[in-house]
Amino acid sequence: MNELAQTATTEPLFNPLSPDYIRNPYPSYERLRTTDPMHLTPFGAYVASRHAEVSLVLRDKRFGKDFVERSSRRYGPQIMEEPVFRNMRHWMLQQDPPDHTRLRGLVVKAFTARRVEDMRPRIQQVVDQTLDRIVDQGHMDLIEDFAFRLPVTIICDMLGIPEEHREVFYTGARNGGRLLDPVPLSRAEIDEGNTGNLMAQAYFQQLFELRRRSPGDDLTTQLVQAEEDGSKLSNEELTGNIILLFGAGHETTVNLIGNGLLALHRNPDQLALLNADPALIGNAVEEFLRYDSSVQMTGRVALEDIDDLGGKKIPKGESVLCLLGSANRDPAVYPDRPDRLDIQRPNVRPLSFGGGIHFCLGAQLARIEAEIAIATLLRRLPDLRLDDAENPEWRPTFVLRGLKTLPASW
């Protein structure tokens, strides 16, 4: 069946960096779900596209991250000497218990529902200030001028990054996403990753010094104090996880806001519905997450031989790539036209934040940021129109799905 499917379409079933895939991966996902739901790629990883297998792998203790082993299998053991890989190996996102448990335990308090809920007024203030600055221009790029500033400001607040240091973060390049893609990196891409990572490390070392001298009520201070304890956190772990928190704290939320606004403007009936009843925003954000997830994929490694996953044997050490974006549109879970945007859809429970022990720490924060950003934009600029909703420019990455620009006028 697999070979037939591939001949029929004359292209690989899973080709995540092709321009067509970047523009719209969903037809390919449907093909995977129906013809080969546990697809073995040419580079040796299994791709899970149905909700059942994806949700199982995310929660099953027989699967883990095994980052060092996985990266060494792909690139050779010398890859761990590259600064960016050496840094990533300490990310809690790439760790298995007990290290994962220890690292996550150090930061989880900053993301409790209570603390995040208390941030609503500050989030509203940032959104209003952002709009105040541009409302008279009549034109903006919704990504750079709007979606980007909010989560960057909030994560800077949380990490205790001083106001006078922030301009570089607002104008910084957003090209780290390629490091997470399932297609091996070229030498040039590894070099670029190293450069960006070493610059980030240099900045955060200065921030750690600052917070050792003058502690604040922020996450960096909290982690610096854990590092000084010695048993809780090494300097490499401190650096790696602050870089992770900074990136994860804004990248995906920028994409959620951008992808949500694009989806609304491509579906004017849904936009009209939300304008008529702003109380729908909470459910609308869940539907944006499901409909066009800002994280399309997450990976796990089999920690033991798996006899049967969707009809395939998965040998120990093999990677399983979980297509979150595909699982979110699986008709087995969303029988009512899963490819349609429906902000009133009942029981939306997207897998966009992952699952199991790696469930996204900032899920609630991202939801609230998107709710306030989108609701405020619709309220304050009711006649906003996208310059080109049909052919927007997507960023050339697959795992992190988001727009490069989204020009709009009012």
Side-chain angles (χ1 to χ4, degrees):
M1 180 66 176
N2 184 0
E3 278 170 352
L4 279 177
Q6 283 191 299
T7 345
T9 55
T10 66
E11 58 171 289
L13 269 177
F14 183 63
N15 186 16
L17 293 185
S18 78
D20 284 346
Y21 228 98
I22 299 279
R23 200 163 37 245
N24 180 10
Y26 298 104
S28 301
Y29 291 164
E30 189 177 359
R31 226 167 52 232
L32 278 167
R33 285 193 306 267
T34 50
T35 61
D36 193 8
M38 281 299 299
H39 173 63
L40 181 58
T41 68
F43 50 87
Y46 290 85
V47 176
S49 52
R50 289 189 303 208
H51 192 283
E53 286 82 20
V54 168
S55 52
L56 179 107
V57 170
L58 293 178
R59 292 176 178 82
D60 193 319
K61 289 186 167 59
R62 296 173 301 168
F63 292 92
K65 287 290 186 170
D66 207 8
F67 179 74
V68 176
E69 177 61 26
R70 176 169 44 113
S71 305
S72 302
R73 275 181 76 153
R74 176 178 286 181
Y75 295 101
Q78 75 290 345
I79 193 66
M80 282 302 145
E81 290 159 27
E82 302 289 347
V84 70
F85 278 82
R86 208 165 54 227
N87 185 264
M88 283 165 74
R89 74 180 289 178
H90 296 291
W91 291 5
M92 70 184 86
L93 179 66
Q94 306 289 11
Q95 295 278 5
D96 294 312
D99 287 328
H100 172 266
T101 320
R102 170 176 58 85
L103 293 169
R104 190 171 169 117
L106 290 172
V107 300
V108 70
K109 288 189 284 293
F111 292 93
T112 59
R114 170 79 194 280
R115 284 198 75 162
V116 171
E117 206 46 53
D118 289 347
M119 289 157 70
R120 268 185 193 271
R122 170 63 174 151
I123 293 169
Q124 185 66 61
Q125 177 194 27
V126 174
V127 173
D128 282 326
Q129 286 172 345
T130 303
L131 287 174
D132 290 345
R133 246 203 340 271
I134 45 188
V135 77
D136 294 334
Q137 295 175 8
H139 187 264
M140 69 165 147
D141 173 6
L142 281 168
I143 303 302
E144 192 157 324
D145 300 328
F146 181 69
F148 188 58
R149 282 195 88 89
L150 167 65
V152 172
T153 302
I154 298 299
I155 197 67
C156 284
D157 284 356
M158 292 182 79
L159 293 178
I161 294 173
E163 293 281 349
E164 62 271 21
H165 295 180
R166 293 185 184 184
E167 204 44 48
V168 60
F169 292 110
Y170 292 131
T171 52
R174 295 173 57 218
N175 48 13
R178 181 67 183 91
L179 291 167
L180 302 171
D181 282 333
V183 176
L185 298 161
S186 66
R187 181 67 249 178
E189 287 172 322
I190 292 172
D191 290 342
E192 190 184 356
N194 285 338
T195 305
N197 187 268
L198 288 167
M199 279 167 63
Q201 288 194 46
Y203 172 73
F204 285 114
Q205 293 301 330
Q206 290 176 6
L207 183 65
F208 301 154
E209 276 313 306
L210 176 67
R211 290 297 163 237
R212 285 186 189 106
R213 287 198 311 274
S214 51
D217 179 23
D218 56 68
L219 204 43
T220 303
T221 300
Q222 203 181 305
L223 291 176
V224 162
Q225 287 165 352
E227 182 219 13
E228 284 168 352
D229 179 1
S231 60
K232 290 184 184 156
L233 197 65
S234 70
N235 186 266
E236 280 194 312
E237 288 174 331
L238 170 64
T239 313
N241 283 289
I242 288 280
I243 289 175
L244 169 67
L245 286 165
F246 181 77
H250 75 280
E251 280 282 4
T252 49
T253 309
V254 176
N255 294 350
L256 168 57
I257 295 168
N259 296 5
L261 288 168
L262 177 66
L264 275 178
H265 283 88
R266 283 177 160 180
N267 294 272
D269 61 317
Q270 299 298 302
L271 178 59
L273 203 56
L274 187 54
N275 276 324
D277 184 2
L280 288 171
I281 187 66
N283 202 66
V285 167
E286 296 306 298
E287 176 70 347
F288 300 148
L289 284 161
R290 184 200 71 80
Y291 178 76
D292 202 7
S293 176
S294 36
V295 181
Q296 287 286 311
M297 191 203 86
T298 184
R300 296 288 188 274
V301 172
L303 302 177
E304 55 186 74
D305 290 334
I306 310 291
D307 285 339
D308 179 21
L309 181 67
K312 297 267 172 85
K313 275 186 161 51
I314 313 290
K316 178 182 176 181
E318 293 297 340
S319 292
V320 177
L321 308 178
C322 297
L323 294 177
L324 306 173
S326 175
N328 283 341
R329 292 197 185 195
D330 188 337
V333 180
Y334 299 104
D336 184 22
R337 297 167 69 194
D339 285 328
R340 180 175 168 264
L341 182 76
D342 176 5
I343 63 168
Q344 293 177 299
R345 189 183 294 275
N347 307 318
V348 188
R349 285 193 292 276
L351 290 175
S352 312
F353 292 118
I357 62 169
H358 291 283
F359 183 81
C360 173
L361 262 176
Q364 202 44 30
L365 176 60
R367 285 186 174 108
I368 291 175
E369 287 180 333
E371 275 180 32
I372 292 175
I374 293 172
T376 307
L377 184 74
L378 297 184
R379 187 179 75 243
R380 290 192 53 184
L381 296 175
D383 57 345
L384 178 110
R385 294 282 167 273
L386 299 187
D387 293 5
D388 184 1
E390 283 321 296
N391 301 295
E393 192 182 355
W394 293 94
R395 295 174 63 196
T397 52
F398 166 67
V399 170
L400 297 183
R401 175 168 171 79
L403 295 151
K404 216 174 192 165
T405 60
L406 192 61
S409 314
W410 60 92

